[in-house]
Amino acid sequence: MTLADLLSAPPAIVAAGVDVFSDALRAQGAEVYDVDWRPPGFGDPAELAALALDPRRAAANRTAVERIMAAGSQLVDVRPAREVLGLPDRMLLHAGPPIAWADASGPLRGALIGACLFEGWADTAEEAERILAAGEITLDPCHHHRAVGPMAGVTSPSMWMWCLQDPVHGGQAFSNLNEGLGKVLRMGAYNDEVITRLRWMRDVLGPVLAKAVRGPVDAGADPVDVKSILAQMLQMGDEGHNRNRAGSLMALRELSPAIVAVEGVPSSDIAAVLEFAGGNEHFFLNLGMPTAKLAMDSARGIPGSSMVTVMARNGTEFGIQTAGTGDRWFTGPANTPVGLFLGDYGPEDANPDIGDSAIMETYGVGGFTMAAAPAIVRFVGGSVPDALATTERMYQLTLAENPAMQVPILGFRGSPTGIDVLKVARSGWLPQINTGMAGRVAGTGQVGAGLVQPPQQCFEQALRALAEETRAA
């Protein structure tokens, strides 16, 4: 066959991977040959066998999934971290697994410095660095306190927290308030603009939201059903991690009547709160994250379960936890997201992955439901077929489909839920996360957004630990 023959004849296509590519090509009249191929798996055969043959596993995973599906999420209060978390002076919480100052990345260091300035523990960035390096400030993961925080996730005693409860299992979960976009603490920025905003959030936003949330609940009204908002936003073009436009507007719709009715507050403050919330596309993210945290925490401590309950990153390491191994962390070096950059920033400016917000993917939304929000690819990169294929692939790694979190374009199929360590190891595929990118240098702020996966070794360690637990049972 000549080159001319090749270019003039109808194309014959060989496709490997999920069916969505082949189906799309066939719909256009192309001749497609499917090859049943998938990436090679990983893990020691003896460990894979031990976990696969564990007689407890099926029932344990079924219990874990049932608890996740049943979990609810109600917004019941807004209070300072020192009150609801018992956070003492000179302690800061951060995203991801445990880490020391010496190992902290640029954006985490920037956020820790900014928190020290905000709390008044230091007057200059240099003084903040000194006390942090000297160990005068205790650092601990948000996850150790039933809390989650996006990006650096730094939470200090004076910051106000969303307080959510699970009416089914009785759990509680917390998250700080979202700062909006631009130069923000969670991205590692700590200039005067950042500190001024944090003080306004402490002095105005937090107290107003507290009265708006607490007043109706104290008067006997039903708490805001945050899980319901999350379910609705998936049907309105959001995926619950990097795109929260519909969710933020629905949350504001629920809260605004009570905000307007708050007494004893200047009308200018009420207007500022409404303007801030209405202009913050990620306002809902800090409500969605503790909703996911509530569900995943309900599945903790189930012997024999191979389901992942936490995925979190501190900018240096990526860590996961499983239902069958409790609070034990399995960690590896965090990968750097690949995606789109703001302004003149490029790959060399991006820090490795950071944030507790991967709790959304752990729950089965975010990067797992990109098919519900095809417009997200304009922010994180890729294409609409990529978004569809990603969601299809995540079904291969999970234990169930969540009927409460439906994906319209897939015939309202439930979202892929319950990451299974064994399925990840057998397939060789890793969970997909879409995320923001913080600047590598402290103080930079956000440089872009993109896609990232956990390091394989997190799952290798979890597989080994689960196999050891199986043998010891």
Side-chain angles (χ1 to χ4, degrees):
M1 178 181 289
T2 66
L3 181 60
D5 294 333
L6 180 63
L7 295 177
S8 61
I13 301 165
V14 176
V18 294
D19 293 338
V20 65
F21 290 117
S22 302
D23 293 343
L25 290 166
R26 288 194 180 95
Q28 300 175 59
E31 183 180 2
V32 183
Y33 299 90
D34 289 305
V35 176
D36 185 11
W37 179 90
R38 63 181 57 199
F42 59 82
D44 180 271
E47 294 170 352
L48 289 166
L51 190 55
L53 297 175
D54 185 350
R56 304 169 302 164
R57 181 172 168 270
N61 282 339
R62 185 165 54 250
T63 297
V65 166
E66 289 172 351
R67 291 183 184 180
I68 290 172
M69 302 298 190
S73 176
Q74 297 176 330
L75 174 60
V76 294
D77 209 344
V78 182
R79 290 187 182 274
R82 64 166 46 90
E83 294 182 12
V84 293
L85 303 181
L87 201 61
D89 199 28
R90 301 275 169 150
M91 173 181 275
L92 295 174
L93 305 185
H94 62 80
I99 194 169
W101 168 260
D103 300 316
S105 63
L108 180 53
R109 288 192 174 204
L112 293 169
I113 290 169
C116 289
L117 296 173
F118 164 65
E119 290 290 346
W121 300 338
D123 294 324
T124 65
E126 292 74 21
E127 183 182 356
E129 287 191 73
R130 182 190 63 78
I131 62 176
L132 285 160
E136 296 179 22
I137 308 297
T138 302
L139 306 181
D140 207 33
C142 292
H143 273 290
H144 291 184
H145 299 262
R146 297 173 295 167
V148 278
M151 300 306 290
V154 170
T155 302
S156 68
S158 298
M159 292 181 183
W160 289 74
M161 309 289 289
W162 294 116
C163 306
L164 281 69
Q165 71 175 14
D166 174 4
V168 177
H169 303 107
Q172 293 180 305
F174 310 91
S175 180
N176 53 13
L177 307 179
N178 195 283
E179 307 159 80
L181 299 174
K183 291 279 188 180
V184 289
L185 188 79
R186 71 177 185 275
M187 295 287 182
Y190 57 86
N191 60 16
D192 290 343
E193 173 190 348
V194 173
I195 304 305
T196 298
R197 185 188 303 110
L198 288 173
R199 288 171 178 161
W200 176 81
M201 293 172 70
R202 176 194 63 197
D203 299 336
V204 178
L205 179 64
V208 169
L209 290 176
K211 292 180 180 179
V213 171
R214 200 179 306 151
V217 172
D218 289 346
D222 291 334
V224 174
D225 187 340
V226 185
K227 180 180 179 180
S228 176
I229 294 177
L230 180 56
Q232 292 177 67
M233 60 193 278
L234 291 179
Q235 300 189 35
M236 298 172 68
D238 287 347
E239 40 69 70
H241 188 164
N242 253 325
R243 186 178 174 91
N244 292 276
R245 291 181 178 181
S248 295
L249 290 174
M250 283 190 286
L252 183 58
R253 180 191 65 184
E254 295 290 331
L255 294 172
S256 57
I259 292 174
V260 172
V262 168
E263 298 179 348
V265 177
S267 59
S268 58
D269 285 348
I270 298 296
V273 167
L274 290 171
E275 181 180 9
F276 178 81
N280 180 0
E281 293 184 358
H282 287 303
F283 182 71
F284 180 81
L285 176 61
N286 293 50
L287 287 164
M289 289 173 57
T291 295
K293 174 69 172 166
L294 283 171
M296 303 318 298
D297 275 0
S298 72
R300 283 182 175 272
I302 302 177
S305 174
S306 54
M307 190 189 74
V308 176
T309 54
V310 169
M311 294 194 296
R313 319 83 100 203
N314 57 31
T316 301
E317 288 187 315
F318 194 114
I320 70 172
Q321 296 179 345
T322 77
T325 52
D327 296 332
R328 183 175 173 184
W329 287 98
F330 307 104
T331 62
N335 294 320
T336 301
V338 176
L340 303 179
F341 293 89
L342 304 174
D344 295 329
Y345 292 118
E348 68 281 357
D349 300 305
N351 194 79
D353 198 19
I354 187 170
D356 286 333
S357 54
I359 194 68
M360 303 307 290
E361 281 80 6
T362 317
Y363 181 50
V365 294
F368 280 43
T369 50
M370 287 179 65
I376 193 66
V377 300
R378 300 181 66 183
F379 186 56
V380 300
S383 66
V384 172
D386 292 337
L388 294 169
T390 294
T391 298
E392 291 280 2
R393 189 164 58 249
M394 293 303 100
Y395 285 111
Q396 310 304 313
L397 308 183
T398 48
L399 295 164
E401 299 178 16
N402 188 343
M405 304 294 156
Q406 297 178 349
V407 183
I409 200 170
L410 299 180
F412 293 92
R413 189 177 180 184
S415 65
T417 302
I419 302 167
D420 182 15
V421 171
L422 183 59
K423 289 190 174 186
V424 171
R426 280 176 163 174
S427 69
W429 289 331
L430 294 165
Q432 183 70 70
I433 299 164
N434 58 40
T435 184
M437 285 188 275
R440 184 181 296 273
V441 177
T444 301
Q446 185 170 8
V447 299
L451 304 172
V452 74
Q453 293 178 320
Q456 180 175 302
Q457 67 190 75
C458 293
F459 290 88
E460 292 174 338
Q461 293 173 20
L463 175 65
R464 187 172 305 117
L466 288 164
E468 291 172 353
E469 192 272 341
T470 296
R471 297 185 184 108

